[in-house]
Short mmCIF file of all heavy atoms in Angstrom, two decimals:
data_model
loop_
_atom_site.label_atom_id
_atom_site.label_comp_id
_atom_site.label_asym_id
_atom_site.label_seq_id
_atom_site.Cartn_x
_atom_site.Cartn_y
_atom_site.Cartn_z
N SER A 818 0.81 -1.18 -0.01
CA SER A 818 -0.03 -0.01 -0.01
C SER A 818 0.83 1.27 -0.02
O SER A 818 0.34 2.38 -0.09
CB SER A 818 -0.95 0.00 1.23
OG SER A 818 -0.18 0.29 2.44
N GLN A 819 2.15 1.09 0.11
CA GLN A 819 3.03 2.28 0.17
C GLN A 819 3.11 3.04 -1.19
O GLN A 819 3.10 2.38 -2.23
CB GLN A 819 4.42 1.82 0.62
CG GLN A 819 4.48 1.39 2.02
CD GLN A 819 3.84 2.39 2.97
OE1 GLN A 819 4.35 3.48 3.19
NE2 GLN A 819 2.65 1.93 3.51
N PRO A 820 3.20 4.32 -1.09
CA PRO A 820 3.28 5.13 -2.33
C PRO A 820 4.43 4.67 -3.22
O PRO A 820 5.52 4.40 -2.70
CB PRO A 820 3.46 6.56 -1.85
CG PRO A 820 3.06 6.53 -0.39
CD PRO A 820 3.27 5.17 0.11
N GLY A 821 4.20 4.54 -4.46
CA GLY A 821 5.21 4.07 -5.45
C GLY A 821 5.29 2.60 -5.48
O GLY A 821 5.79 2.00 -6.46
N ASN A 822 4.86 1.90 -4.46
CA ASN A 822 4.78 0.41 -4.40
C ASN A 822 6.09 -0.18 -4.96
O ASN A 822 6.10 -0.96 -5.92
CB ASN A 822 3.57 -0.05 -5.25
CG ASN A 822 3.19 -1.46 -4.96
OD1 ASN A 822 3.84 -2.17 -4.24
ND2 ASN A 822 2.09 -1.89 -5.55
N ASP A 823 7.22 0.18 -4.40
CA ASP A 823 8.56 -0.17 -4.91
C ASP A 823 8.73 -1.73 -4.75
O ASP A 823 8.92 -2.19 -3.60
CB ASP A 823 9.60 0.58 -4.14
CG ASP A 823 11.04 0.24 -4.62
OD1 ASP A 823 11.18 -0.12 -5.78
OD2 ASP A 823 11.95 0.28 -3.78
N VAL A 824 8.69 -2.43 -5.87
CA VAL A 824 8.78 -3.87 -5.84
C VAL A 824 10.06 -4.35 -5.19
O VAL A 824 10.03 -5.30 -4.42
CB VAL A 824 8.64 -4.42 -7.29
CG1 VAL A 824 8.76 -5.93 -7.30
CG2 VAL A 824 7.33 -4.04 -7.88
N MET A 825 11.19 -3.75 -5.48
CA MET A 825 12.41 -4.17 -4.89
C MET A 825 12.48 -4.05 -3.40
O MET A 825 13.00 -4.92 -2.66
CB MET A 825 13.66 -3.52 -5.57
CG MET A 825 14.95 -4.18 -5.22
SD MET A 825 15.08 -5.97 -5.57
CE MET A 825 15.07 -5.96 -7.36
N SER A 826 11.93 -2.95 -2.88
CA SER A 826 11.89 -2.75 -1.45
C SER A 826 11.06 -3.80 -0.81
O SER A 826 11.36 -4.32 0.27
CB SER A 826 11.34 -1.36 -1.12
OG SER A 826 12.26 -0.39 -1.52
N ILE A 827 9.93 -4.15 -1.44
CA ILE A 827 9.05 -5.18 -0.93
C ILE A 827 9.73 -6.56 -0.89
O ILE A 827 9.75 -7.27 0.12
CB ILE A 827 7.69 -5.28 -1.69
CG1 ILE A 827 6.93 -3.98 -1.55
CG2 ILE A 827 6.87 -6.44 -1.26
CD1 ILE A 827 5.73 -3.82 -2.48
N LYS A 828 10.43 -6.87 -1.93
CA LYS A 828 11.16 -8.15 -2.03
C LYS A 828 12.24 -8.20 -0.94
O LYS A 828 12.39 -9.23 -0.31
CB LYS A 828 11.78 -8.29 -3.39
CG LYS A 828 10.75 -8.63 -4.48
CD LYS A 828 11.48 -8.69 -5.86
CE LYS A 828 10.48 -9.03 -6.96
NZ LYS A 828 11.10 -9.20 -8.27
N LEU A 829 12.99 -7.13 -0.76
CA LEU A 829 14.04 -7.13 0.22
C LEU A 829 13.50 -7.23 1.62
O LEU A 829 14.09 -7.94 2.44
CB LEU A 829 14.90 -5.84 0.08
CG LEU A 829 15.82 -5.78 -1.14
CD1 LEU A 829 16.40 -4.43 -1.33
CD2 LEU A 829 16.90 -6.88 -1.07
N LYS A 830 12.43 -6.56 1.93
CA LYS A 830 11.88 -6.64 3.25
C LYS A 830 11.29 -8.03 3.53
O LYS A 830 11.47 -8.56 4.62
CB LYS A 830 10.76 -5.53 3.44
CG LYS A 830 10.38 -5.37 4.91
CD LYS A 830 11.56 -4.79 5.71
CE LYS A 830 11.21 -4.39 7.08
NZ LYS A 830 12.34 -3.95 7.81
N ALA A 831 10.65 -8.63 2.54
CA ALA A 831 10.11 -9.97 2.75
C ALA A 831 11.29 -10.96 2.97
O ALA A 831 11.16 -11.83 3.88
CB ALA A 831 9.29 -10.38 1.44
N LEU A 832 12.32 -10.82 2.20
CA LEU A 832 13.46 -11.67 2.37
C LEU A 832 14.14 -11.47 3.74
O LEU A 832 14.48 -12.46 4.45
CB LEU A 832 14.47 -11.38 1.26
CG LEU A 832 15.72 -12.32 1.22
CD1 LEU A 832 15.37 -13.80 1.04
CD2 LEU A 832 16.70 -11.89 0.10
N GLU A 833 14.23 -10.21 4.17
CA GLU A 833 14.75 -9.87 5.51
C GLU A 833 13.98 -10.58 6.60
O GLU A 833 14.54 -11.20 7.48
CB GLU A 833 14.79 -8.41 5.70
CG GLU A 833 15.16 -7.95 7.12
CD GLU A 833 14.91 -6.50 7.35
OE1 GLU A 833 14.74 -5.67 6.43
OE2 GLU A 833 14.85 -6.14 8.53
N PHE A 834 12.70 -10.47 6.56
CA PHE A 834 11.78 -11.04 7.55
C PHE A 834 11.88 -12.56 7.56
O PHE A 834 11.86 -13.18 8.63
CB PHE A 834 10.34 -10.57 7.36
CG PHE A 834 10.02 -9.25 8.05
CD1 PHE A 834 11.03 -8.32 8.28
CD2 PHE A 834 8.74 -8.99 8.39
CE1 PHE A 834 10.69 -7.09 8.90
CE2 PHE A 834 8.40 -7.79 9.00
CZ PHE A 834 9.40 -6.81 9.25
N VAL A 835 11.88 -13.19 6.40
CA VAL A 835 12.00 -14.64 6.33
C VAL A 835 13.30 -15.10 6.96
O VAL A 835 13.32 -16.07 7.72
CB VAL A 835 11.81 -15.14 4.91
CG1 VAL A 835 12.22 -16.60 4.80
CG2 VAL A 835 10.36 -14.97 4.47
N LEU A 836 14.38 -14.48 6.57
CA LEU A 836 15.71 -14.84 7.16
C LEU A 836 15.74 -14.61 8.70
O LEU A 836 16.27 -15.46 9.39
CB LEU A 836 16.82 -14.06 6.45
CG LEU A 836 17.05 -14.45 4.96
CD1 LEU A 836 18.06 -13.52 4.37
CD2 LEU A 836 17.42 -15.93 4.81
N MET A 837 15.16 -13.57 9.10
CA MET A 837 15.09 -13.27 10.58
C MET A 837 14.23 -14.35 11.26
O MET A 837 14.62 -14.81 12.34
CB MET A 837 14.61 -11.88 10.82
CG MET A 837 14.81 -11.38 12.17
SD MET A 837 14.58 -9.55 12.52
CE MET A 837 13.57 -8.99 11.23
N ALA A 838 13.11 -14.67 10.69
CA ALA A 838 12.22 -15.64 11.25
C ALA A 838 12.93 -17.01 11.39
O ALA A 838 12.82 -17.68 12.40
CB ALA A 838 10.91 -15.73 10.43
N GLU A 839 13.58 -17.37 10.35
CA GLU A 839 14.25 -18.69 10.31
C GLU A 839 15.40 -18.67 11.32
O GLU A 839 15.66 -19.69 11.95
CB GLU A 839 14.72 -19.10 8.94
CG GLU A 839 13.52 -19.39 8.01
CD GLU A 839 13.94 -19.87 6.63
OE1 GLU A 839 15.08 -19.79 6.31
OE2 GLU A 839 13.04 -20.29 5.89
N SER A 840 16.10 -17.56 11.43
CA SER A 840 17.21 -17.45 12.40
C SER A 840 16.62 -17.65 13.84
O SER A 840 17.16 -18.34 14.66
CB SER A 840 17.89 -16.16 12.28
OG SER A 840 18.89 -16.02 13.24
N ILE A 841 15.53 -17.03 14.14
CA ILE A 841 14.85 -17.13 15.45
C ILE A 841 14.47 -18.64 15.66
O ILE A 841 14.69 -19.22 16.73
CB ILE A 841 13.64 -16.23 15.54
CG1 ILE A 841 14.10 -14.80 15.57
CG2 ILE A 841 12.75 -16.60 16.71
CD1 ILE A 841 12.94 -13.77 15.37
N MET A 842 13.94 -19.21 14.59
CA MET A 842 13.50 -20.64 14.70
C MET A 842 14.70 -21.54 15.00
O MET A 842 14.65 -22.37 15.88
CB MET A 842 12.80 -21.07 13.40
CG MET A 842 12.42 -22.50 13.40
SD MET A 842 12.20 -23.23 11.75
CE MET A 842 13.84 -23.17 11.10
N TYR A 843 15.78 -21.37 14.23
CA TYR A 843 16.97 -22.23 14.43
C TYR A 843 17.55 -22.00 15.85
O TYR A 843 17.94 -22.99 16.49
CB TYR A 843 18.03 -21.92 13.43
CG TYR A 843 17.75 -22.50 12.03
CD1 TYR A 843 17.69 -21.67 10.95
CD2 TYR A 843 17.51 -23.82 11.88
CE1 TYR A 843 17.46 -22.15 9.69
CE2 TYR A 843 17.19 -24.38 10.60
CZ TYR A 843 17.20 -23.51 9.49
OH TYR A 843 16.93 -24.05 8.24
N ARG A 844 17.54 -20.79 16.35
CA ARG A 844 18.13 -20.49 17.65
C ARG A 844 17.25 -21.01 18.76
O ARG A 844 17.73 -21.14 19.89
CB ARG A 844 18.37 -19.00 17.81
CG ARG A 844 19.48 -18.50 16.90
CD ARG A 844 19.60 -16.96 16.92
NE ARG A 844 20.44 -16.53 15.94
CZ ARG A 844 21.76 -16.28 16.11
NH1 ARG A 844 22.34 -16.52 17.22
NH2 ARG A 844 22.49 -15.84 15.10
N SER A 845 16.01 -21.33 18.48
CA SER A 845 15.11 -21.82 19.53
C SER A 845 15.39 -23.24 19.87
O SER A 845 14.93 -23.72 20.89
CB SER A 845 13.65 -21.62 19.09
OG SER A 845 13.29 -22.62 18.13
N GLY A 846 16.20 -23.93 19.06
CA GLY A 846 16.52 -25.29 19.29
C GLY A 846 15.65 -26.29 18.62
O GLY A 846 14.52 -26.01 18.21
N GLY A 847 16.14 -27.49 18.51
CA GLY A 847 15.33 -28.53 17.95
C GLY A 847 15.48 -28.71 16.43
O GLY A 847 14.98 -29.66 15.86
#
């Protein structure tokens, strides 16, 4: 919904969040 709807910024943020989420998951153990 952001003005300009910058596709690359969306892609980078999605990738950042996925990597962060997986890092949290791995660090939680198991």
Side-chain angles (χ1 to χ4, degrees):
S818 73
Q819 293 309 291
N822 197 356
D823 180 31
V824 177
M825 191 54 70
S826 293
I827 295 170
K828 288 178 178 183
L829 288 170
K830 195 64 173 178
L832 185 59
E833 173 191 341
F834 273 26
V835 166
L836 293 174
M837 195 166 20
E839 289 183 353
S840 178
I841 291 167
M842 178 202 66
Y843 285 124
R844 291 172 191 268
S845 75

